[in-house]
Every structure is written in structure tokens, then in C-alpha cells.
Amino acid sequence: MNIHEYQAKSLLAKYGVATPQGGVAYTPEEAENVARELGSSVYVVKAQIHAGGRGAGRFADDPDGKGGVRICKSVEEVGQDARHMLGHVLVTKQTGPAGKEVKRLYVEEGCDIGRELYLSMLLDRATGRLTVVASTEGGMEIEEVAAEHPERIIKEIIDPAIGLMPYQSRKVAFGLGLEGRQVNAAVKFLGAMYKAFNALDASLVEINPLVVTGAGGLLALDAKMNFDDNALFRHKDVADMRDEDEEDPMELEAGRHELNYIKLDGQIGCMVNGAGLAMATMDIIKLFGGEPANFLDVGGGATRERVTAAFKIILSDPNVEGILVNIFGGIMRCDVIAEGVVAAAREVSLHVPLVVRLEGTNVELGKKILAESGLPIVSADNLADAAEKIVKAVQGA
């Protein structure tokens, strides 16, 4: 689960991470009130959407060409910029051309920026350990830094048995070019990040940029946090921060039916049981020249109702021009899948090619249900046959 910048900062601040003062606003009037309460000479107004690159983004209907992060020097200017941002669609590299509507802003006090650094904690899949990643190239996308200047990436792997040690924090601080009292500040800052990460069951804490102020202090000028969905039952306060407006409607609907669904950019919808088989199905579709429209794992114990919901979610994607159902029945029975597919196809009036490959428990019964449905369903003997048939059907071959 993702949360907004202002929410991440409020959580991190509870554990001692230094952040600028600020407040959230849903209207221009609220933005002005927050600015008055801050009483600063400089304010920063930030669009709150679940996407990076907000400062470099653009509002398509805003003639001034400003992005989603704006510096203001008066309360009146804060209100003016808030009116230009709220209710308007911000387009960034991460949102894609469709962009995202800005429904809330974060107004915070300005600060004297001396240097911009990058700092994060994340789970490294290669080592299975929590890892500190830092760089002197703050404000940039870390992927670009890693690709163009890998020597500027600092990594420190944390042993879970002993946790983050002070010497590791000092090593990171020296690598970032910090000195004097800044090193002690970095040790404290990293310790607070580590406590927050573990206490909140986070999967990512990213500070970009981490700024060294003119006075030599450290501040989290921006903050991003992701969480392990499986641990949210322990953190109701974090779960309550979920903003469903920022999530894909189809992925939300899938979550309600306990389906693992991720929307992609292709034209061939996939419904598969098992994450590994789903990945293999997507790969073989690409091998035959097609593009998958989604990842969808119905799970090993799906019911007819869940299969019906999965089928309807796939068809609700306007980009879908064909569907491949690939089921290997172990715990999952092929007849249950067949009943769900038939029920959903009838309910939504199937209008795209449908190829089904069934194998495993009750496979003959499943094939019989499909054959006797009267629907234009194409059966496949194996995975390669299924992928070839659906790609040809979509491409009109």
C-alpha cells in the first residue's frame, strides 16, 4: 500500500525523522489558512498524488506551465497556486499521459537548501536483507543515477540479528560527504528511519531529496513510504490512510474479491491460477507476438463467484481484445473455472475471442461445460497452442 507524502512525513516524524512543518489542504482557503499558521516568508505548495516527478510534471490546462511543486512568497500566492492545482490533472513521467487529478495539497514552510542527497531503506530481494541505499545525487530518480553513475550509489546491508549499527550510519554519512556535526545528525536520522521501517512493517522508506540545510541540519524534504499489505492488520492507523482515489478501479475491485490483479498495457487479458503459471502465460503470449493486458491470479481455492468476478474485471478493460484462460487444476477444479467463465461470459455478453486451456482435476467435466455452453469458446490442448490461438485471433490472422 502507498500513502501520500504528507502522511509519510507525519509517520516518520513520530519516530524522530526531521521534516519541515506543514499541513494538508483540500481547498484554496484551507491552503491559505495553513500558510498563515506556518507564518513563514517562503512556502512550498505540493500536489499530493501517488506518483513521482511532480515538480517536473505539468498541468495540461494551466497556461503558466508550472508543475506540481511550487514555491510561493505570500499567503495570497499560496491561494492562487492552490486554485490552479486543485481539481486539475497533473501529468508526470509516472502517471502516463492520462495524468492524475489533484484532490489535495501539502503546504509546508520553505527551507534553506545547501545540498540535496538521496536516502532510502528497502528490502533487497537479492540478499533478503533490509538495505540502506544512498547517493550524493539527490532530487534525481535513483534508477537514472544507478544506470549513469553507479559509483555514486552507496549501499549498506543490515544484519537482522543486530540491526542497523552506528558505524554503518557513519559509513553512509562519510560516503555522502557529510562532516562534523552532520555525521552525528545522519546517525540519528538513519536510526529514526530504521525504527519507523520496522515498527510500521514498511517495504520502502525513501527520502528524495534529503537536504543539508544552510545551518548544517538534515531534513526530509520529500518522503515516500510503501507497506507490506499482509501486515496492515497490525496497523489500523496506516490502513486508514489508504486513498482509493489514487488506485486503479479494477485493481480495487479485484482486491475486494481477493484476486491478485495488476493492469498492464497489452490487449490480451489473462486469467490463470497460480502466480508462476501466470508469469509463464504472460511470457508465452509475448513469445507469440502478443502483449498481456494484465496479471491475474485467481488463486488455488477460487469459487465460481470469484472466477466470474475475475472474468468481468478483465472485460471491463477497454484495451482487452481477447482473453486467454489458462488453468492447471490441482486444488482448483476445472469444472468450477468453466462454470465461472460461462456465467461471466453470458452476463457481460462476450464480445472478444476467448481461448481456454484446462488441465488437471475434473478437466473432462470442465471441457464438457464449455462445449455445451453454446458460447464461441476456443479450446486449446496446451499452453503453446493456447497462446498461438489467442494471438492469432486478436491479430486477425
Side-chain angles (χ1 to χ4, degrees):
M1 190 189 85
N2 299 333
I3 59 175
H4 289 291
E5 172 196 356
Y6 76 93
Q7 295 168 324
K9 285 181 173 177
S10 69
L11 290 174
L12 292 171
K14 291 178 181 179
Y15 291 88
V17 175
T19 63
Q21 294 296 309
V24 65
Y26 297 86
T27 67
E29 292 73 24
E30 289 180 358
E32 291 178 348
N33 289 336
V34 171
R36 288 192 188 95
E37 291 177 6
L38 291 173
S40 178
S41 59
V42 178
Y43 308 94
V44 184
V45 181
K46 301 182 177 182
Q48 297 297 287
I49 60 172
H50 287 180
R54 292 168 297 162
R58 291 293 179 266
F59 290 91
D61 60 348
D62 192 344
D64 64 13
K66 293 181 181 179
V69 178
R70 306 187 181 189
I71 298 175
C72 304
K73 296 184 178 179
S74 68
V75 172
E76 293 72 25
E77 192 176 348
V78 168
Q80 182 179 1
D81 276 333
R83 291 179 180 87
H84 287 158
M85 298 167 75
L86 286 168
H88 296 266
V89 175
L90 178 62
V91 180
T92 77
K93 287 182 179 180
Q94 293 188 14
T95 65
K100 286 190 175 183
E101 182 183 351
V102 177
K103 298 183 178 180
R104 62 185 84 181
L105 302 172
Y106 188 50
V107 181
E108 67 180 9
E109 62 185 1
C111 70
D112 180 13
I113 301 175
R115 293 176 60 204
E116 294 190 359
L117 309 172
Y118 175 91
L119 182 63
S120 69
M121 288 185 182
L122 70 159
L123 291 172
D124 185 347
R125 303 298 179 186
T127 62
R129 300 274 180 96
L130 176 56
T131 302
V132 177
V133 179
S135 174
T136 54
E137 305 302 306
M140 293 180 60
E141 293 185 18
I142 196 64
E143 294 82 3
E144 294 180 8
V145 179
E148 298 174 9
H149 302 285
E151 73 282 358
R152 298 178 186 175
I153 300 292
I154 303 162
K155 288 187 178 181
E156 196 65 30
I157 299 172
I158 301 172
D159 187 329
I162 58 177
L164 178 67
M165 301 300 291
Y167 82 87
Q168 292 179 298
S169 297
R170 288 193 293 271
K171 186 177 177 181
V172 172
F174 294 143
L176 292 174
L178 301 177
E179 53 189 19
R181 288 182 297 176
Q182 295 172 358
V183 175
N184 291 333
V187 171
K188 181 180 178 182
F189 195 101
L190 278 160
M193 277 182 66
Y194 181 68
K195 286 180 183 178
F197 191 104
N198 284 317
L200 298 171
D201 289 304
S203 57
L204 170 72
V205 176
E206 183 180 63
I207 310 297
N208 188 24
L210 167 68
V211 300
V212 181
T213 66
L218 297 179
L219 275 180
L221 203 60
D222 196 1
K224 178 180 181 180
M225 291 188 74
N226 295 347
F227 301 89
D228 181 353
D229 291 349
N230 296 311
L232 286 176
F233 72 94
R234 289 198 288 259
H235 307 285
K236 186 179 183 303
D237 56 334
V238 175
D240 289 343
M241 291 180 174
R242 185 171 189 171
D243 183 0
E244 294 188 351
D245 287 343
E246 291 291 317
E247 300 182 33
D248 185 282
M250 287 183 282
E251 293 182 10
L252 276 174
E253 182 64 19
R256 295 187 183 103
H257 295 279
E258 299 181 355
L259 296 166
N260 296 309
Y261 173 89
I262 299 173
K263 188 180 183 305
L264 301 174
D265 297 328
Q267 297 78 41
I268 298 175
C270 307
M271 183 168 72
V272 191
N273 67 320
L277 187 58
M279 297 296 289
T281 302
M282 294 163 62
D283 285 345
I284 203 165
I285 286 173
K286 292 179 71 69
L287 180 65
F288 280 93
E291 290 292 335
N294 63 270
F295 169 98
L296 197 158
D297 172 15
V298 296
T303 62
R304 169 179 165 172
E305 291 73 22
R306 191 185 298 178
V307 172
T308 302
F311 202 80
K312 290 166 68 176
I313 288 169
I314 292 173
L315 282 173
S316 68
D317 182 352
N319 294 328
V320 169
E321 300 175 5
I323 301 175
L324 172 56
V325 176
N326 182 26
I327 299 298
F328 185 85
I331 300 173
M332 168 59 68
R333 291 166 24 210
C334 292
D335 57 312
V336 171
I337 291 290
E339 289 174 352
V341 168
V342 170
R346 285 176 174 160
E347 186 173 342
V348 300
S349 300
L350 182 66
H351 59 279
V352 297
L354 171 61
V355 176
V356 179
R357 179 255 184 170
L358 298 177
E359 195 60 69
T361 306
N362 289 356
V363 62
E364 296 303 324
L365 178 56
K367 289 181 177 179
K368 181 181 179 182
I369 292 171
L370 294 176
E372 295 177 352
S373 67
L375 296 169
I377 300 173
V378 178
S379 293
D381 297 326
N382 53 57
L383 182 50
D385 182 43
E388 185 176 14
K389 283 179 176 177
I390 191 61
V391 170
K392 285 184 177 178
V394 168
Q395 295 178 348

